[in-house]
């Protein structure tokens, strides 16, 4: 059998792909959070950044988006397949369930949080990336017409339910990352008693920064009450 | 001490099982869990009933034969202990104790609390060995092994193949067992010639037998009576990636060695 094919079919190979695709997506979240920082510099800066990424630099950005979409779909499909196999591996459940592991907590919610994040992405990406659901208003700076993503964000987050949906999703993202980051590293074979406490610390801090950062922006926009600052 | 036991009874692998409630009375706190079950079975036999089937052999924690899930925990609540070395003083008087077999598709129930762990033998048979000339013991210092490697190999070699890792894993994955075997031989010079072949074949066999995938919940490490670390799983993940992608065709073939 072709070695790559055999590797991709094996349980370990798939876990490593799951980990790598997850790490790529985590990395993107940090870039996304940096982009959101532009909200603090006001509409002209933020819209200009959006225009730069989605229009001016599209020859670079679109291939990256395709790569991220590929990683996302792979992560999703592997997630479904692995979860189904894992359930099949224990057809009869235990009558009494107990645990001695300190790490099991968040790991039990990977599938649930993952499915929720899929719903979130199906809501969020068409909305802000493609202007689906409703047309993004337009704005013109120095004769260049662009989408007024700032106004769209302010308008959307003024709705408390919308903000609650976002913040709730970020909490589930925190659950997903709290197990996922360290689990990815373990699947890739990164585990050393000297470095494990540091890896734990960094991966938890990373998850908290990402989820806290996104939630902070959502709550801040909501607190503006629909008025562009 | 008195206990209320809920014992899993299942006539054979195809039958539907259920719990039988039994009172265990006058149990000495110094009895092991298995001795307590022996007493229950004596009562069953005196009353002309079918004794509950469970496995045991050495009863000193080194053979890996006992296999009971006690109140949801393989080998019971103690850490680093097999069910045969678990004493009744660890339980509260009057407590209800639920006893189930290892539950995994790859470990079918034979009867009651006894399961068939031949899947582990199949995994061992494709790579859990070294093909060296047997005979008299080699010279003590003929083959130097660094202390660190010897220690790590010894930690992995402590695996008694009981299957508590599979029983504890939410996915019934055999990763800790396979990792212990791969690590034990892979750390030593005698294990090097077959190192790549071993990890690829043992993992392929493990997948084929219907064990689940590892999701790094570390339940296996917590349940292991020999306290084998998931570090060995990380090591196997590294070894597998390298061997599967860079190994020769012969190393990757699924046939036996």
């Amino acid at each position: 059998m072709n070695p790559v094919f055999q590797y991709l079919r094996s349980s370990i190979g798939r876990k490593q792909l799951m980990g790598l695709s997850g790490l790529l997506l985590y990395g993107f979240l940090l870039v996304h959070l940096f982009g959101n920082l532009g909200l603090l510099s006001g509409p002209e800066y933020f819209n200009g950044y959006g225009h730069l990424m989605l229009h001016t630099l599209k020859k670079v950005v679109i291939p990256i988006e395709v790569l991220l979409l590929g990683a996302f779909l792979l992560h999703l499909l592997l997630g479904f397949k692995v979860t189904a196999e894992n359930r099949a591996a224990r057809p009869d459940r235990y009558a009494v369930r107990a645990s001695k592991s300190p790490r099991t907590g968040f790991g039990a919610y990977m599938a649930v949080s993952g499915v929720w994040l899929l719903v979130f992405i199906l809501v969020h990406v068409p909305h802000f990336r493609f202007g689906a659901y409703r047309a993004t208003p337009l704005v013109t700076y120095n004769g260049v017409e662009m989408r007024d993503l700032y106004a769209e964000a302010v308008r959307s987050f003024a709705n408390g339910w919308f903000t609650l949906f976002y913040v709730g999703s970020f909490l589930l993202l925190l659950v997903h990352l709290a197990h996922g980051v360290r689990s990815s590293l373990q699947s890739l074979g990164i585990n050393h008693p000297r470095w494990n406490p540091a890896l734990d610390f960094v991966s938890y801090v990373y998850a908290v920064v990402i989820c806290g950062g996104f939630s902070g922006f959502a709550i801040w926009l909501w607190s503006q009450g629909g008025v562009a600052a | 001490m008195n206990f209320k036991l809920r014992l899993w009874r299942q006539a054979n692998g195809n039958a539907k099982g259920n719990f039988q409630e039994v009172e265990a009375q006058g149990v000495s706190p110094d009895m092991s869990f298995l001795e307590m079950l022996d007493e229950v079975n004596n009562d069953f036999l005196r009353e002309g009933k079918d004794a509950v089937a469970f496995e045991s052999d050495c009863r000193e924690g080194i053979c890996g034969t006992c296999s009971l899930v006690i109140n949801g925990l393989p080998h019971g609540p103690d850490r680093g202990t097999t069910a045969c070395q678990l004493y009744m003083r660890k339980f509260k008087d009057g407590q209800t104790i639920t006893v189930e077999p290892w539950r995994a598709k790859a470990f079918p129930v034979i009867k009651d609390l006894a399961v068939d762990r031949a899947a582990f033998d199949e995994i061992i048979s494709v790579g859990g060995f070294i093909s060296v000339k047997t005979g008299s013991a080699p010279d003590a210092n003929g083959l130097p092994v660094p202390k660190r490697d010897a220690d790590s190999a010894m930690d992995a070699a402590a695996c008694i193949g009981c299957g508590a890792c599979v029983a504890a894993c939410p996915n019934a994955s055999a990763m800790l067992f396979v990792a212990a075997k791969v690590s034990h031989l892979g750390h030593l010079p005698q294990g090097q010639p077959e190192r790549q072949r071993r990890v690829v074949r043992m993992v392929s066999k493990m997948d084929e037998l219907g064990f689940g995938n590892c999701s790094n919940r570390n339940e296996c490490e917590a349940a292991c009576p020999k306290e084998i670390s998931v570090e060995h799983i990380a090591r196997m993940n590294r070894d597998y990636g390298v061997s599967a992608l860079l190994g020769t065709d012969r190393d990757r073939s699924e046939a036996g060695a």
Side-chain angles (χ1 to χ4, degrees):
Chain A
M1 201 193 298
N2 180 297
V4 177
F5 187 61
Q6 186 182 3
Y7 171 78
L8 297 180
R9 266 188 14 156
S10 70
S11 58
I12 294 179
R14 287 183 311 190
K15 284 298 295 182
Q16 293 182 340
L17 274 186
M18 191 91 181
L20 280 175
S21 55
L23 288 175
L24 190 70
L25 295 165
Y26 304 151
F28 165 71
L29 289 179
L30 196 61
V31 176
H32 190 311
L33 188 61
F34 273 116
N36 286 15
L37 285 174
L39 284 165
L40 299 173
S41 300
E44 187 167 349
Y45 177 85
F46 185 70
N47 290 330
Y49 171 76
H51 188 70
L52 176 76
M53 296 301 271
L54 300 182
H55 194 265
T56 317
L57 290 179
K58 69 179 173 195
K59 284 198 175 134
V60 182
V61 171
I62 287 180
I64 295 174
E65 284 182 324
V66 170
L67 180 72
L68 287 170
L69 179 68
F72 177 74
L73 291 177
L74 184 71
H75 198 75
L76 185 76
L77 291 175
L78 285 175
F80 279 121
K81 184 158 171 53
V82 165
T83 306
E85 282 181 5
N86 291 348
R87 299 220 162 146
R90 172 159 300 134
D92 301 311
R93 312 253 124 199
Y94 288 109
V96 180
R97 289 172 74 178
S99 167
K100 280 194 239 181
S101 165
R103 191 180 283 287
T104 202
F106 292 127
Y109 304 104
M110 294 310 272
V112 174
S113 56
V115 168
W116 183 274
L117 291 172
L118 171 66
V119 172
F120 173 78
I121 284 165
L122 289 177
V123 170
H124 173 71
V125 173
H127 181 191
F128 284 104
R129 170 64 180 84
F130 296 106
Y133 306 134
R134 68 178 175 196
T136 313
L138 296 175
V139 67
T140 307
Y141 300 111
N142 304 323
V144 183
E145 191 179 62
M146 56 186 75
R147 294 168 67 205
D148 193 352
L149 288 165
Y150 189 91
E152 181 61 26
V154 168
R155 184 169 72 152
S156 303
F157 283 99
N159 182 334
W161 293 111
F162 186 86
T163 305
L164 189 65
F165 171 67
Y166 267 62
V167 174
S169 300
F170 298 144
L171 280 176
L172 281 164
L173 177 65
L174 182 66
V175 169
H176 205 76
L177 294 184
H179 177 78
V181 181
R182 276 297 272 119
S183 179
S184 303
L185 298 177
Q186 167 80 3
S187 293
L188 293 167
I190 299 170
N191 179 325
H192 191 288
R194 189 183 299 153
W195 295 101
N196 285 345
L199 289 174
D200 275 339
F201 181 76
V202 170
S203 54
Y204 283 126
V205 165
Y206 182 77
V208 169
V209 164
I210 291 287
C211 301
F214 285 126
S215 302
F217 278 113
I219 293 167
W220 176 68
L221 284 168
W222 171 72
S223 72
Q224 303 292 308
V227 184
Chain B
M1 299 178 89
N2 299 317
F3 300 100
K4 184 185 277 181
L5 301 178
R6 293 173 69 223
L7 303 174
W8 183 257
R9 303 305 302 262
Q10 185 173 344
N12 57 59
N14 300 319
K16 202 171 141 43
N18 53 38
F19 285 102
Q20 179 181 17
E21 296 207 359
V22 191
E23 301 281 341
Q25 280 162 344
V27 175
S28 157
D30 297 329
M31 278 183 180
S32 76
F33 200 86
L34 302 189
E35 285 166 335
M36 185 273 296
L37 285 181
D38 288 338
E39 289 299 316
V40 169
N41 270 342
N42 281 342
D43 290 343
F44 278 146
L45 294 174
R46 267 194 293 273
E47 293 161 17
K49 291 182 186 160
D50 188 20
V52 61
F54 65 92
E55 290 189 86
S56 75
D57 190 12
C58 76
R59 300 213 175 189
E60 55 185 8
I62 55 168
C63 75
T65 307
C66 53
S67 52
L68 302 174
V69 175
I70 300 162
N71 283 340
L73 298 168
H75 292 306
D78 268 7
R79 277 186 177 263
T81 305
T82 52
C84 62
Q85 289 289 299
L86 174 70
Y87 292 92
M88 296 317 292
R89 54 181 173 267
K90 298 284 179 179
F91 295 89
K92 286 196 202 85
D93 193 23
Q95 193 179 345
T96 300
I97 305 173
T98 304
V99 190
E100 298 176 75
W102 283 180
R103 293 196 191 275
K105 187 176 152 214
F107 289 163
V109 170
I110 300 168
K111 184 173 190 289
D112 300 337
L113 301 166
V115 299
D116 182 358
R117 283 168 285 183
F120 271 9
D121 299 335
E122 283 191 56
I123 295 174
I124 291 292
S125 73
V126 297
F129 50 81
I130 49 169
S131 305
V132 291
K133 191 174 65 169
T134 54
S136 57
D139 273 353
N141 294 316
L143 199 54
V145 179
K147 170 88 171 119
R148 194 174 75 167
D149 291 345
D151 284 350
S152 195
M154 190 61 214
D155 287 347
C159 171
I160 50 177
C162 65
C165 44
V166 175
C169 177
N171 313 325
S173 166
M175 287 282 276
L176 191 63
F177 167 75
V178 180
K181 300 304 170 192
V182 164
S183 227
H184 150 209
L185 298 171
H187 269 300
L188 297 173
Q190 294 91 336
Q192 296 311 309
E194 289 152 308
R195 182 168 167 181
Q196 297 200 329
R197 192 177 312 164
R198 176 179 308 114
V199 63
V200 175
R201 286 181 180 168
M202 291 180 82
V203 169
S204 302
K205 184 52 87 178
M206 168 184 83
D207 290 349
E208 182 193 313
L209 291 167
F211 291 102
N213 303 281
C214 180
S215 54
N216 301 322
R217 302 258 294 268
N218 298 7
E219 291 285 359
C220 51
E221 177 185 279
C224 177
K226 299 297 157 187
E227 303 185 294
I228 295 171
S229 166
V230 294
E231 239 181 278
H232 295 290
I233 294 183
R235 191 176 189 279
M236 176 168 73
N237 288 337
R238 293 196 293 274
D239 255 17
Y240 183 82
V242 171
S243 307
L245 293 171
L246 307 179
T248 65
D249 286 347
R250 183 166 145 67
D251 290 339
R252 287 182 295 96
S253 83
E254 284 168 23

